[in-house]
Amino acid sequence: MAANDCMTLDCAETDAALRRRETVRRQRRGYAFAGVATLVLTAVAPMAARAQSIGGPFTPGGHPLSVGLQFQTLFDSNTARGNDLAAAIRGLKQEDVIYTPSINVNYSSPNSREGVALRAFAGYDFYQNNTILSREHIDLSAAGNATFGRCQVGAQVAYDRGQSGLEDLTL
């Protein structure tokens, strides 16, 4: 009889260990799912925010083509984005005038159910005193959508190139 009691105890311990392992596996799967969901949301959220900041994902079916030219002049009294010491360390003058010519081109196909939309922006910042800061701005975006039966599939890609703001850099 003692042997049967011992076997029953071992089985109970084994069952408990298996239940613990299964619980740990479920928790790990849950953590993995949460990690993947976080990565996906982290990747998608900036695109949604960017889409909101540029007037939403361009809607195919609007004006087929538009081109715009712009010239902006800006006086900046704190180009170094810091005190005089930060400006001296960076080799910059605090005050500067910035001239920015730019072009903006938008295209969207006239069919709103299946189409493509393209957006391009290119400009250049010319600094009058701090010529080392003169840089280009390039922003390209493309979006497409297609309808398959009752399903609509869409995608958007974007490329953005420009100089980082000096306030974002550390010395």
Side-chain angles (χ1 to χ4, degrees), residues 114-137:
E114 294 177 354
V116 73
L118 306 170
R119 175 175 285 179
F121 171 85
Y124 200 90
D125 289 337
F126 294 97
Y127 283 76
Q128 185 172 323
N129 297 325
N130 300 305
T131 56
I132 193 168
L133 297 177
S134 296
R135 291 285 184 269
E136 72 279 352
H137 293 283

Side-chain angles (χ1 to χ4, degrees), residues 89-112:
I89 290 172
R90 291 180 171 144
L92 301 175
K93 296 179 182 174
Q94 278 287 51
E95 296 182 348
D96 207 343
V97 178
I98 307 161
Y99 306 99
T100 307
S102 60
I103 185 169
N104 190 11
V105 179
N106 295 315
Y107 170 78
S108 61
S109 64
N111 184 354
S112 62

